[in-house]
Each structure stands twice: as structure tokens, then as C-alpha cells.
């Protein structure tokens, strides 16, 4: 649906402009609106959904929504088990994914996810201007302090803060000789058209294994290759690596079922009388190979469609050309330009055990968007009232946050809940990026996060920031992920006593706790 000229978010001057109507754009727009931040949101698409309007190609998502879980679906605690709904303050706008699912799987289909996002946009009245394509960006100080001009097919938008929620959804095609003979991921045809064919798939990430899984019933032979060995998500203990749903091709390779997985660089693809000859240079020490196939597909990853932002000074890195970002998802080189959605994975976080955040997926990016909106609102002078926490209630609060706060479960070691301490009184400072709150100068604080280590154990970690120094307390893991028992309460109480005792020692006339 193309937006009418007098529709929502018309061209003009705004404090904030959001580009994109995928999950990231919708979530950050919702959060900005609930905070009272005037903003425009524009999208080249004709309807909400972003990449979920097209992909995954074989229609079933990797992220689950559990209809029956150890939490009531009307509560925020249920978000821990629902990876696909966007988050809302209003109960009627929560867990919308459940309403769209047909019950055949707890992994929603692509159309179900698209309907979920469309329902959220409609029910929460996100003011997206559809059919409005972002075409360019320039830095230009305006009369109201605007720093950027966002050029679109509908006209120009001026803003102080620009938020790009454009995803990492532009397929990457290598420049290797002969790749013009390979179809891109986005050009994959219906599975039945590959019946009886020999298929070569370049790439051993989820997209490559998704295609291999979908083609297993049809293809006569499948060869999958890339220079690096395949990583499984169960081994990385994160969303990085091949998800278990796509391991059938891997099993067929191991058991001799007609799939071959090779660690090899692709030197060239040549068309011959027999089909396509793929020249492979082994990276695992084996002999080089020439593989003859009927079709080749490049599942070689995706890049961020940043248009002219690099020319504006936005630094990028890596194969996916992710923008380098601060903990608040702001460009590390161009202040005022922020990112939301899956592109937020460019902010690495602490990665204490090498395990990345879930910022590249909906269940992590939705919380980033809310934190980002609060950060942007504060920069515009819109702040939230501080809520005091009675000292004798802080242990209960830490237990509740550790057990039920979805931000901490989905963004382990990236987001943390913070209670600041001034003059012996605690205040709820909310969810913040851990890298920021640990480095920031500020009042004494108790900071809680969850971490998963290389063994797979998950446990709370509490940081005490006192007098400019930080102390780390690692609590015990629990096999049932329940941190409300007597021993955990004792460990939390020790932290609180330490915080109160140190604070009291610095208050004139106060006795040690």
C-alpha cells in the first residue's frame, strides 16, 4: 500500500527519523511514540515486515514461539519463550505471534511472521509512510538544530537523529570468476524445479543449510562448500552457527546420504557441456577438486544496505559491512546516526566468554530498540521519573530480575539491570547496555546481568560500582535456571549488604551496615 501524499510521516523536519518497517523499525518507532518523541518513519516497502515479506525462502523460521511455557502468555515473563512477537506496554498488543500460528510447529512460518508484524503495526498505530524509498543522506545543519537530511522519493526529511533499521538483507555475491553462472539466494526457484539435479551450494551458514534442507527431497546430489568449517549453534551456544533445524544435510553427509560438505575455497565456476564445473581448492589439507553439477546457488551471506552512509563517514567492518557502533547503537564515527534491528549486531558488547549477543535476531533487537529509544529521548530532554527501591526490597528485586526479565535472558552479557545508590537510597535505573554502565562515570550502582559460559552454564553476574571502581560477583549456576532458592538469595543479599555497607561508610555520620 503506497502512502497517500497527506498520509502519515510526511516530509519535513522532525527530531528523529526512522528508516525501515521491519521488526527493528516498528519496535523503535513504537518505543519512541510511547515516550512522546515526535518522529517520522519511512519505508520503501508497501507493507510492514521487512525481510520477512520475502524470506526465509523455505518459509519456516529458526526462532520459536512456545504456545505452552512456564509463564502466562499475558505477562512480560512470557517474552522469554516468545522469540518472534514485538514487545508492547499494553497487554492486548503482546504475544501477537501466538494469534497467527496454526499449531503445526512452534517455529512460525514466514507468512505467519509477516502477519504478526502487520498486526503489531496496525494495532499500535505505527505511523509508517510506505512506498517512500530512502535515496540519500547528507549532513547539513538546519535552523532548528537538525544535523541530517534524509532524501527520499517523497521528499526531504530533516532531523537531529537518524535511525536506520534497514537490516542485513542484501544478498552478497562474490567476485570470483564464474559466479555469474550461480543463482543468488534470493533467486532460488521452487524446490520441485530442482528435481533430479546435481546442486552445488556455496556457503555453510544458515542460508546455505536452509536451501540444502529444502532441496533434500528433490536433488539427486548436493555439494556444500566454503573455506571455513561449518559451525553448529549447539557448539557455539549462541545463534551463531547452523541451527539444529537445518542439520539434516549435515547428518546425511556424515552417514553417506548423498550430501557432501567440503572445506574448500571456490576458485572458479565454468560452464561446460556437462553443466557447471566448480573448481575447489581444499582448505582442510585435502586434494583440490573439480565438481560437475547442474546448478549452483550462492548462499554467501548478506550485507547491510547502507547506501551512501559510508561516504558520509560511517565506518563499517567485516564481510557484512556492518557499521561500527557504540554500546547505544550509534555510529562510532558519525554522532547522531543510530541503527536498530538486526544491523545492531555491529555493537559487539563485552563477549566475556566469546558468545555474541542476540542483537542480530528479533528477540534481542526488540530490547535494544527500547533502550535506544530511551537513550534518544533523554538526549532530547525527555527523561523518565526515577523510581526508588527500598533497600530491604532490593534482594527480592534482584531475584525477580534474574528469573523473569526477558532482556537479561535474550541479551546475556549485553544488557544489564541497574540500581543506582545515592545517599544510601537505591533507584531503579532500568535496563542499559552493560559495556556503557560499567565504563560510565556515575553514582554507585548494583548492576545485574546473565551470562552463559563455554560449558553452557547460565548464571547471574552482579557488578558493584563503588567510588569509581567495579567489583564482579559471579553467582552459582542452576540446572533448572531458577535463581530464587535460599543459596542464591544469600548470594544476592551479600552483594546488597556490601553495597549498603560501602555507601554508609561514605555518608557523614552514618554507621556501618
Amino acid at each position: 500500500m503506497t502512502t497517500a501524499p497527506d498520509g502519515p510521516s510526511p516530509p519535513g523536519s522532525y527530531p528523529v527519523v526512522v528508516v525501515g518497517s521491519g521488526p527493528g523499525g516498528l519496535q523503535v518507532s513504537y518505543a519512541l511514540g510511547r515516550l512522546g518523541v515526535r518522529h517520522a518513519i519511512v519505508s520503501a516497502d508497501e507493507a510492514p515486515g521487512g525481510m520477512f515479506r520475502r524470506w526465509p525462502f523455505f518459509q519456516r523460521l529458526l526462532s520459536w514461539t512456545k504456545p505452552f511455557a512456564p509463564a502466562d502468555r499475558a505477562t512480560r515473563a512470557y517474552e522469554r519463550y516468545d522469540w518472534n512477537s514485538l514487545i508492547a506496554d499494553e497487554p492486548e498488543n503482546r504475544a501477537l505471534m501466538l494469534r497467527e500460528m496454526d499449531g503445526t510447529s512452534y517455529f512460525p512460518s514466514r507468512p505467519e511472521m509477516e502477519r504478526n508484524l502487520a498486526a503489531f503495526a496496525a494495532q499500535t498505530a505505527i505511523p509508517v509512510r510506505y512506498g517512500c524509498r530512502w535515496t540519500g543522506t547528507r549532513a547539513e545543519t538546519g535552523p532548528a538544530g537538525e544535523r541530517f537530511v534524509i532524501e527520499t522519493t517523497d521528499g526531504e526529511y530533516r532531523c537531529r537523529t537518524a535511525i536506520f533499521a534497514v537490516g542485513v538483507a542484501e544478498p552478497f555475491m562474490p567476485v570470483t570468476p564464474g559466479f555469474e553462472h550461480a543463482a543468488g539466494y534470493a533467486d532460488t526457484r521452487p524446490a520441485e524445479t530442482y528435481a533430479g539435479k546435481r546442486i552445488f551450494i556455496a556457503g555453510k551458514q544458515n542460508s546455505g543449510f536452509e536451501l540444502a534442507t529444502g532441496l533434500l527431497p528433490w536433488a539427486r546430489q548436493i555439494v556444500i562448500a566454503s573455506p571455513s568449517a561449518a559451525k553448529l549453534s549447539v557448539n557455539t551456544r549462541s545463534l551463531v552457527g547452523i541451527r539444529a533445524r537445518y542439520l539434516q544435510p549435515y547428518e546425511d553427509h556424515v552417514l553417506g546420504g548423498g550430501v557432501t560438505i567440503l572445506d574448500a575455497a571456490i576458485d572458479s565456476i565454468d560452464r561446460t557441456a556437462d553443466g557447471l564445473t566448480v573448481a575447489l581448492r581444499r582448505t582442510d589439507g585435502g586434494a583440490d577438486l573439480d565438481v560437475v553439477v547442474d546448478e549452483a546457488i550462492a548462499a554467501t551471506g548478506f550485507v547491510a544496505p547502507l547506501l551512501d552512509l559510508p561516504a558520509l563517514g560511517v565506518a563499517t567492518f567485516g564481510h557484512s559491512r556492518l557499521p561500527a557502533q557504540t554500546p547505544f547503537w550509534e555510529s562510532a564515527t558519525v554522532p547522531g546516526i543510530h541503527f536498530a534491528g538486526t544491523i545492531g549486531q555491529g555493537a559487539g558488547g563485552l563477549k566475556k566468554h566469546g558468545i555474541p549477543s542476540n542483537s542480530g535476531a528479533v528477540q534481542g533487537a526488540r530490547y535494544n530498540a527500547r533502550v535506544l529509544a530511551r537513550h534518544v529521548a533523554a538526549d532530547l530532554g525527555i527523561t523518565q521519573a526515577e523510581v526508588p527501591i527500598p533497600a530491604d526490597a532490593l534482594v527480592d528485586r534482584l531475584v525477580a530480575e534474574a528469573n523473569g526479565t526477558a532482556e537479561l535472558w535474550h541479551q546475556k552479557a549485553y544488557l544489564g539491570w541497574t540500581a543506582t545508590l545515592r545517599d544510601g537510597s537505591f533507584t531503579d535505573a532500568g535496563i542499559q547496555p552493560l559495556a556503557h554502565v560499567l565504563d560510565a562515570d556515575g553514582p554507585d550502582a548494583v548492576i545485574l546481568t546473565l551470562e552463559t559460559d563455554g560449558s553452557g552454564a547460565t548464571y547471574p553476574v552482579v557488578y558493584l560500582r563503588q567510588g569509581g571502581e567495579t567489583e564482579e560477583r559471579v553467582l552459582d549456576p542452576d540446572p533448572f535456571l531458577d535463581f530464587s532458592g535460599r543459596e542464591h538469595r544469600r548470594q544476592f543479599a551479600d552483594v546488597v549488604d556490601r553495597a549498603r555497607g560501602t555507601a554508609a561508610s561514605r555518608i557523614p555520620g552514618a554507621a556501618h551496615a
Side-chain angles (χ1 to χ4, degrees), residues 121-144:
Q123 289 183 202
T124 60
I126 306 298
V128 186
R129 189 173 188 84
Y130 296 107
C132 179
R133 181 179 296 277
W134 165 47
T135 59
T137 318
R138 65 183 191 268
E140 185 177 296
T141 302

Side-chain angles (χ1 to χ4, degrees), residues 7-23:
S9 298
S13 181
Y14 298 83
V16 182
V17 172
V18 179
V19 178
S21 62

Side-chain angles (χ1 to χ4, degrees), residues 246-262:
Y246 291 155
L247 290 187
Q248 188 62 50
Y250 193 87
E251 184 180 73
D252 281 20
H253 161 70
V254 173
L255 300 180
V259 176
T260 300
I261 300 175
L262 298 170

Side-chain angles (χ1 to χ4, degrees), residues 126-403:
I126 306 298
V128 186
R129 189 173 188 84
Y130 296 107
C132 179
R133 181 179 296 277
W134 165 47
T135 59
T137 318
R138 65 183 191 268
E140 185 177 296
T141 302
E146 304 97 339
R147 292 184 284 192
F148 303 104
V149 178
I150 309 298
E151 302 165 358
T152 77
T153 51
D154 280 7
E156 293 186 343
Y157 292 77
R158 296 177 179 273
C159 60
R160 174 175 172 175
T161 299
I163 302 176
F164 294 91
V166 293
V168 187
E170 186 176 291
F172 170 78
M173 186 66 75
V175 295
T176 303
F179 256 87
E180 67 272 13
H181 301 308
Y185 173 88
D187 301 316
T188 305
R189 306 190 307 273
E192 61 271 18
T193 66
Y194 295 92
K197 294 183 179 292
R198 302 163 296 177
I199 308 298
F200 176 80
I201 298 175
K204 296 204 294 283
Q205 298 294 328
N206 275 316
S207 57
F209 274 84
E210 177 213 337
L211 296 183
T213 301
L215 295 176
L216 274 177
W218 302 93
R220 188 172 89 196
Q221 178 190 22
I222 297 176
V223 179
I224 308 172
S226 72
S228 300
K231 295 180 180 179
L232 310 184
S233 61
V234 292
N235 292 332
T236 64
R237 305 186 187 279
S238 71
L239 296 183
V240 174
I242 306 161
R243 297 296 302 283
R245 283 210 330 105
Y246 291 155
L247 290 187
Q248 188 62 50
Y250 193 87
E251 184 180 73
D252 281 20
H253 161 70
V254 173
L255 300 180
V259 176
T260 300
I261 300 175
L262 298 170
D263 296 342
I266 303 157
D267 281 342
S268 65
I269 302 176
D270 296 304
R271 185 169 294 284
T272 66
D274 296 325
L276 297 174
T277 298
V278 183
L280 298 175
R281 176 168 37 86
R282 299 284 289 276
T283 55
D284 58 3
D288 294 348
L289 297 170
D290 286 342
V291 178
V292 179
V293 296
D294 300 303
E295 306 244 13
I297 304 173
T300 43
F302 301 85
V303 298
L306 298 180
L307 215 62
D308 58 355
L309 291 184
L312 198 65
V314 172
T316 64
F317 67 95
H319 169 86
S320 297
R321 298 205 295 267
L322 290 170
Q325 298 162 54
T326 72
F328 278 108
W329 310 281
E330 185 173 22
S331 168
T333 51
V334 183
I337 289 182
H338 290 77
F339 301 93
T342 186
I343 203 169
Q345 64 190 285
L350 298 182
K351 290 194 285 191
K352 179 178 174 182
H353 298 288
I355 298 173
S357 70
N358 285 330
S359 296
V362 172
Q363 79 267 25
R366 60 189 181 182
Y367 299 109
N368 294 354
R370 183 158 59 188
V371 173
L372 171 59
R374 291 172 181 166
H375 179 70
V376 169
D379 185 55
L380 295 170
I382 302 173
T383 58
Q384 295 177 295
E386 295 187 347
V387 179
I389 305 172
D392 59 1
L394 185 54
V395 171
D396 289 338
R397 183 64 181 274
L398 286 166
V399 169
E401 295 287 339
N403 279 284

